[in-house]
Amino acid sequence: MNELFTNVDWADIWQATLDTFYMVGGSLVFTILLGLPLGVLLFLTGKRQLLEQAAFYNLLSFVVNVLRSVPFIILLIVMIPVTVLITGTSLGVAGAIPPLVVGATPFFARLVETALREVDRGIIEAAQSMGATTRQIVISALLPEALPGIIAGITVTAITLVSYAAMSGVIGGGGLGDLAIRYGYQRFQTDVMIVTVVLLLIIVQVLQMVGDKLVIHFSRR
Amino acid sequence: MIEFKNIHKSYQVAGKAIPALHDTNLTVEQGEVFGVIGHSGAGKSTLLRLINLLERPSGGQLLVDGEDITRLDSAGLRVLRRKIGMIFQHFNLLSSKTVADNVALPMKLAGIYSKAEIKARVAELLERVGLSDQARKYPAQLSGGQKQRVGIARALACRPKILLCDEATSALDPQTTQSVLQLLGDINQELGLTIVMITHEMDAIRRVCDRVAVLDSGRIVEMGPVAEVFLHPQHPTSRRFVFESENQDEQELHEDFRHVPGHILRLTFHGEATYTPLLGTVARETGVDYSILAGRIDRIKDVPYGQLTIALIGGNYEEALKRFNAADVHVEVVR
């Protein structure tokens, strides 16, 4: 084993894997906390919805599109001053989380909006006919009904965050991507590159599998 | 009691007002089962949704128990909606919640019931609709008829005074339709619940409704007791619905009898008269011979009725006609 991977320091790899988990996990939590309400807001203010607000929706939609169209690598660099403001550093795990959240939130919000649109309009009508308020309709009817779609959205977002987190190695973000760039790419240590990529592949596979299982569980069909 | 006073409703489509319901006046009495029949696009869905203000009228007054509901604020509207249950063609159950949780939902949303009250009421309702053993299941595991029963239980959760049925049996097979209609009829009797149902099936109207309004292009073209409208439809749309439900075509009927000799009459019996041996008696006493060309004996709600198309040959036709006219039967001379 060690003959095959002469350049691989397993302790480094282990630390980098943990860092990747922290970055993905941490940014996923904030992405959900911010993206879920944003997605609900996009849905509710959309055309023919409960709180239809064409101007507000168009503005929100535009901002989301702008953020989504900035390449993540550019966002990483542009965000540096803001990141320093929030976390005190632009390096390591903490420095990677703000740009990851800003990059993933608009993406996740759109997925939430789409999942909510998939809910049968009849469900909203039924809840209204029971005398539900808009808040009750969202919490007691729309979100439970859209849960499988939202979980699928979280899965896709988590996987996107894995690849974004790897990219953050470029600005010294830490994690498996950082190892791959510093050793695999810059020092031509192909074995390190292979190990990191395989580990990333395993993480993505596991995330997708768990996500799919949860979607099936909550689909109740 | 529900009163429509000069209610009209139009939708804004691309800046133009498209009328869905023209000046409409109708009164639904407390405790009655009121049917609205019409083809798709006739405005019946709009009419139903005005009653719990899922749609707002463009003009006119809408009174529920004497109160103009269009003046209610949002809190008042929510209280009103709790008094009005609604069931749907596609059930609209929450697929993410169990049967019991679906039935409990309106009570939880109301926020005025204790957990124990909700639990007891859910058990009572599931018992009533015959689904006690399905409480822990999810809607996807139920048949269409069972889903609609859950829908009915849910609609009754907050003890409403009015039940709105939106094509409640249109997605069900004939046998299930019958059992769901039966359940609605029973609930109407037991609870004195006012039911307004819209449908495009005359059969559903015939089985449970007391009165019916026929809706055509946003206008009520005929309204009255079901027996009246069903046995003696006046408006072409009403006639079409009645003939549709009997699987016959008025035109065809007349052409089929072109080669039949003698006079042709259509006799309509309603109530106990259905079971009197009128035909035989008249034939014997006036010497006419009769043949039955078409006929149907059935029930409107719980009252029997019969409709026979007969040909009379020979004997004293004038006298026979007089005898029929004198009896408790409606006579229409076809030819």
Side-chain angles (χ1 to χ4, degrees):
Chain A
M1 188 99 166
N2 285 331
E3 284 159 37
L4 220 57
F5 301 111
T6 43
N7 302 311
V8 178
D9 178 339
W10 293 102
D12 271 4
I13 295 278
W14 175 240
Q15 186 54 50
T17 308
L18 279 182
D19 285 353
T20 295
F21 280 140
Y22 291 143
M23 285 192 291
V24 171
S27 55
L28 187 62
V29 168
F30 287 107
T31 299
I32 293 171
L33 286 178
L34 295 172
L36 195 62
L38 185 59
V40 170
L41 201 59
L42 276 168
F43 171 77
L44 288 177
T45 56
K47 215 173 171 136
R48 286 195 294 277
Q49 299 300 346
L50 290 169
L51 304 176
E52 183 173 349
Q53 286 288 340
F56 182 80
Y57 177 82
N58 289 338
L59 179 74
L60 205 59
S61 187
F62 179 73
V63 172
V64 164
N65 287 346
V66 166
L67 282 173
R68 286 194 59 197
S69 54
V70 176
F72 185 65
I73 193 91
I74 307 292
L75 192 67
L76 272 174
I77 295 157
V78 172
M79 279 284 293
I80 288 174
V82 183
T83 306
V84 174
L85 214 66
I86 298 173
T87 63
T89 173
S90 69
L91 299 175
V93 172
I97 287 179
L100 286 173
V101 171
V102 171
T105 297
F107 173 67
F108 178 61
R110 280 292 189 207
L111 295 179
V112 170
E113 184 194 6
T114 312
L116 290 170
R117 279 201 195 147
E118 291 292 313
V119 176
D120 192 336
R121 283 198 72 89
I123 296 288
I124 298 178
E125 199 176 38
Q128 277 180 310
S129 79
M130 295 171 202
T133 60
T134 302
R135 173 198 286 265
Q136 285 179 321
I137 292 173
V138 171
I139 291 171
S140 302
L142 280 173
L143 289 177
E145 286 299 286
L147 191 60
I150 291 171
I151 291 172
I154 291 173
T155 308
V156 174
T157 306
I159 289 169
T160 305
L161 281 171
V162 171
S163 74
Y164 279 2
M167 247 189 269
S168 73
V170 173
I171 58 152
L176 288 168
D178 178 43
L179 270 195
I181 288 167
R182 281 194 290 131
Y183 294 88
Y185 175 64
Q186 288 167 346
R187 299 186 196 171
F188 303 104
Q189 293 175 354
T190 314
D191 48 355
V192 177
M193 182 74 95
I194 289 172
V195 170
T196 53
V197 170
V198 167
L199 281 172
L200 287 170
L201 180 82
I202 292 170
I203 292 172
V204 168
Q205 282 288 349
V206 170
L207 280 174
Q208 187 66 54
M209 249 168 50
V210 172
D212 287 347
K213 281 243 155 57
L214 286 173
V215 168
I216 290 169
H217 175 74
F218 284 106
S219 289
R220 312 284 192 198
R221 290 190 196 282
Chain B
M1 198 167 77
I2 306 162
E3 281 175 276
F4 281 60
K5 288 186 173 173
N6 302 318
I7 287 285
H8 63 94
K9 168 76 184 175
S10 46
Y11 293 98
Q12 293 292 328
V13 180
K16 270 194 194 164
I18 308 290
L21 210 56
H22 298 277
D23 258 12
T24 301
N25 289 287
L26 69 85
T27 304
V28 180
E29 299 295 340
Q30 182 96 42
E32 84 171 325
V33 185
F34 189 88
V36 179
I37 191 165
H39 291 291
S40 47
K44 53 189 194 305
S45 188
T46 302
L47 189 151
L48 192 74
R49 280 163 175 70
L50 286 168
I51 299 172
N52 61 358
L53 290 189
L54 287 179
E55 299 283 0
R56 288 205 158 260
S58 311
Q61 266 192 315
L62 219 168
L63 308 183
V64 172
D65 288 335
E67 189 183 17
D68 186 353
I69 60 170
T70 58
R71 292 166 183 274
L72 290 172
D73 60 6
S74 60
L77 179 58
R78 284 198 297 277
V79 173
L80 170 85
R81 282 176 176 168
R82 253 180 259 150
K83 291 194 297 182
I84 304 180
M86 189 168 185
I87 59 174
F88 304 87
Q89 179 175 9
H90 298 295
F91 325 122
N92 295 351
L93 301 176
L94 270 69
S95 64
S96 57
K97 293 192 191 293
T98 62
V99 165
D101 288 341
N102 264 288
V103 176
L105 186 60
M107 297 181 82
K108 282 184 185 153
L109 293 178
I112 53 172
Y113 300 96
S114 72
K115 275 205 168 122
E117 272 177 297
I118 294 177
K119 206 179 159 201
R121 179 78 179 140
V122 168
E124 175 192 341
L125 285 163
L126 288 179
E127 171 85 42
R128 179 61 194 87
V129 299
L131 290 175
S132 297
D133 49 345
Q134 315 284 334
R136 311 290 342 143
K137 287 196 175 165
Y138 288 93
Q141 297 166 285
L142 304 181
S143 70
Q146 289 174 322
K147 283 183 204 169
Q148 195 56 289
R149 284 166 184 276
V150 177
I152 292 170
R154 182 177 71 175
L156 296 178
C158 294
R159 302 181 192 274
K161 292 179 179 167
I162 299 169
L163 179 65
L164 306 178
C165 307
D166 177 15
E167 296 273 8
T169 57
S170 301
L172 304 174
D173 62 60
Q175 216 165 4
T176 316
T177 295
Q178 191 164 356
S179 75
V180 168
L181 289 175
Q182 179 81 47
L183 177 62
L184 289 175
D186 291 348
I187 287 168
N188 163 252
Q189 292 294 312
E190 287 166 30
L191 309 175
L193 193 71
T194 307
I195 298 182
V196 181
M197 55 186 282
I198 61 168
T199 179
H200 61 269
E201 296 166 327
M202 199 64 197
D203 233 36
I205 300 277
R206 181 173 64 80
R207 282 179 208 275
V208 286
C209 291
D210 298 306
R211 287 196 305 143
V212 60
V214 181
L215 207 58
D216 186 40
S217 312
R219 282 177 217 280
I220 294 178
V221 293
E222 195 166 348
M223 179 156 56
V226 173
E228 194 63 37
V229 175
F230 189 71
L231 296 175
H232 312 295
Q234 304 297 321
H235 191 270
T237 305
S238 321
R239 296 180 80 91
R240 218 175 309 131
F241 275 116
V242 171
F243 282 108
E244 249 170 42
S245 80
E246 296 184 343
N247 292 318
Q248 48 177 267
D249 184 325
E250 214 174 356
Q251 207 66 38
E252 235 169 62
L253 212 59
H254 286 160
E255 283 180 10
D256 278 356
F257 303 150
R258 197 180 291 158
H259 307 295
V260 177
H263 300 275
I264 296 179
L265 304 180
R266 183 180 295 133
L267 307 180
T268 304
F269 306 84
H270 187 222
E272 283 312 305
T274 312
Y275 300 140
T276 57
L278 180 69
L279 221 49
T281 314
V282 171
R284 203 165 45 246
E285 292 176 4
T286 61
V288 295
D289 263 335
Y290 68 86
S291 57
I292 296 172
L293 306 177
R296 171 187 175 109
I297 313 269
D298 213 326
R299 284 169 174 273
I300 294 173
K301 208 163 183 187
D302 294 317
V303 184
Y305 78 94
Q307 210 155 32
L308 296 178
T309 308
I310 59 170
L312 294 180
I313 306 157
N316 188 347
Y317 168 69
E318 301 301 329
E319 181 59 22
L321 193 58
K322 211 183 285 172
R323 294 290 293 272
F324 283 132
N325 275 321
D328 187 14
V329 53
H330 181 268
V331 184
E332 189 187 337
V333 180
V334 179
R335 190 184 73 201

